[in-house]
């Protein structure tokens, strides 16, 4: 289980003088990591022996729940 927070800077599509929008972001989820060398997926170890999966929910805004998005990430390496 993990929790993360920070700032997200995105390009503004509307008529804003600065051209960017900065939002507070909070993220929570779960990470699975493992060594695939000893699993049925050992053919993936030629790229990296460690693979992981991250599932999470991200919220933009500080005081209210706003702009919820979901995170699904699959990748190689220890992250």
């Amino acid at each position: 289980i993990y929790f993360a927070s920070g700032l997200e800077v995105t390009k503004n599509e509307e008529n804003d003088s600065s051209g960017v929008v900065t939002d507070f972001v909070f993220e929570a989820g779960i990470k699975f990591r493992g060594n695939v060398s000893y699993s049925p997926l050992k053919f993936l170890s030629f790229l990296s022996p460690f693979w992981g999966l991250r599932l999470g929910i991200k919220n933009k805004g500080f005081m209210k729940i706003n702009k919820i998005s979901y995170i699904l990430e699959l990748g190689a390496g220890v992250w």
Side-chain angles (χ1 to χ4, degrees):
I1 296 177
Y2 74 93
F3 299 97
S5 64
L7 295 176
E8 181 174 275
V9 179
T10 56
K11 188 174 183 179
N12 189 2
E13 300 295 329
E14 298 176 10
N15 295 333
D16 184 27
S17 60
S18 67
V20 296
V21 174
T22 304
D23 289 310
F24 173 81
V25 178
F26 179 76
E27 184 179 322
I30 189 165
K31 289 183 183 181
F32 299 98
R33 295 181 278 204
N35 187 339
V36 295
S37 300
Y38 306 105
S39 74
L41 302 173
K42 61 184 164 191
F43 65 91
L44 293 173
S45 64
F46 77 94
L47 291 172
S48 174
F50 291 96
W51 282 75
L53 174 69
R54 180 171 70 129
L55 306 168
I57 296 176
K58 181 170 78 171
N59 174 52
K60 284 186 181 181
F62 185 70
M63 296 301 287
K64 62 181 179 176
I65 296 175
N66 189 14
K67 300 179 187 174
I68 290 180
S69 59
Y70 300 97
I71 298 158
L72 172 63
E73 182 180 53
L74 175 68
V78 179
W79 38 269

